[in-house]
Amino acid sequence: KKSSEVGSKDVGQHELKKKKHNHQKGKIHKGSTKPKTKQKTIKKSLDDDDDDDTDMSMLDIARLGYQELVNAIIRPPRTKYKMEELGPLTFVYGDKEYSRTDFELVNKRGHKLQCSKWYPSESASDLPLPAVIYLHGNSSGRTEVVPQCLPFLLSLGVWVVTFDFAGSGMSDGEYVSLGYYEQDDLSCVTEHLRSSGSVSKIVLWGRSMGAATALLYATSRDASISGMILDSPFSDLTQLFNEMVEKARDEGIAVPGLIASVALRMLRGSVKKQAGFNMKDVRPIANAENCWIPALFVAGEKDDFVRPHHSKDISEKYAGKNNLLIVPGTHSTARPTSVFDSAVHFLKQCLKLPSTSVDMWQYSVPANVSSVCPPWLSPKPQSRTPEKPQVNAVHETEQDIGMTNDRQRKIEASLFKMLGQSQQGMSCRNLGQDHES
């Protein structure tokens, strides 16, 4: 009995000590103030599965805006057109007959490029003629040359060649690269023309993405180009993105610098993974100081997509002889007649055109004919010296191909949608599902 009482007492003391130990342990644990790193706190909030439905909805919206923005860069709406829009295979313009020939080339990535060329049906001699290669803009195709540039160029007696970049129009390819791979397409076309023996000097005429492509190509690959007409080129793709972010801030969206920086890194990663190029490598201004090819820069004074300072920056850095025209209009509006008057003098010098070709421009476009009329629909001039169109005539009509105002607004809306949701505490890291860090 005594032994039992002692054992019971020992057990009781043991339980008391255990409770006391647990109580002290709990106090230590409770009073612990070991700091958690900011990174872990953020990670917990990012990985928290208890987010409410509103946050998840916001995240979905931001993800949607992000993918729309990626698509706007590498997979914009592909322009659709019918071959009839390129006009008849033969037609009369002014007092001369012209022909169109369509042909197909294959670039070094194995993509088939759909091309067209217009030329005088009968040449005064068998000598090669100068050629102008027209390079279309983003979300556009070879029909872009038809309304304005084709009538003007044919009146000068030169070959006009254009094609759908890979990923555009009727050519093969899933993505565009805003000039990076388009250089290869242009190289394919110039090599074909030179090997044909039918053309002499070559001038490049590009608009927007096409202008950026011409700069990238001529400043790094082909110094034998005789001249370039560059309408609305961007100087740096990354800078263009940053300016869109600034526009979002102007619209009242508070975008912290960190959010914008992370979004740009994500965007570069997604573009590289899907389309195979680095946005940082698309910098038409990069080699401008080493390029001596004569150039004529054009920019719309109301262009709020590729702002006029891009052309101005490239022009100031450009090594070769160049002029800059700031004209009425936006990124996508038809250009005023003054642009083509300046182009006449520019091409006359670059291509050594005879005075008869230059004089033809003065009567080939009657004053009562719109400057956006295909040449096969233009009436024949009543005389060889009708009133010349006014030099400062302005045509604010928007062309319904390429980077129209509507497509521009959709791109901006995608960016605003993404940034507008990101500012409310969501992680940009989660927006790009396919981004590789």
Side-chain angles (χ1 to χ4, degrees), residues 199-211:
V199 302
S200 53
K201 297 178 180 293
I202 293 178
V203 164
L204 306 179
W205 189 325
R207 185 156 183 174
S208 191
M209 180 180 76

Side-chain angles (χ1 to χ4, degrees), residues 272-393:
K272 189 171 184 179
K273 181 178 181 181
Q274 294 181 43
F277 72 97
N278 192 329
M279 289 173 59
K280 293 194 295 184
D281 294 334
V282 187
R283 298 185 65 243
I285 197 173
N287 295 317
E289 60 187 4
N290 300 318
C291 187
W292 295 90
I293 299 171
L296 175 63
F297 292 91
V298 182
E301 64 179 352
K302 296 180 181 178
D303 189 343
D304 63 351
F305 188 67
V306 180
R307 300 174 187 175
H309 78 80
H310 284 265
S311 293
K312 183 179 180 181
D313 293 345
I314 301 173
S315 174
E316 290 177 349
K317 191 175 179 181
Y318 201 79
K321 183 179 179 181
N322 72 92
N323 289 313
L324 171 62
L325 298 178
I326 305 295
V327 300
T330 65
H331 191 72
S332 57
T333 50
R335 294 310 185 208
T337 312
S338 58
V339 170
F340 301 96
D341 288 334
S342 298
V344 164
H345 300 290
F346 178 78
L347 293 174
K348 179 182 178 180
Q349 295 176 356
C350 294
L351 299 177
K352 309 299 181 185
L353 295 176
S355 57
T356 53
S357 294
V358 177
D359 291 341
M360 185 178 179
W361 161 240
Q362 300 188 15
Y363 69 82
S364 62
V365 183
N368 61 343
V369 175
S370 169
S371 64
V372 291
C373 181
W376 48 87
L377 298 180
S378 298
K380 294 182 179 180
Q382 298 299 317
S383 67
R384 296 184 65 82
T385 57
E387 180 184 353
K388 185 181 177 182
Q390 293 182 358
V391 171
N392 294 322

Side-chain angles (χ1 to χ4, degrees), residues 82-101:
K82 297 179 180 179
M83 291 300 293
E84 290 79 3
E85 295 178 50
L86 295 172
L89 295 179
T90 60
F91 57 91
V92 175
Y93 178 54
D95 58 357
K96 291 187 177 181
E97 183 179 271
Y98 296 88
S99 300
R100 188 192 95 231
T101 300

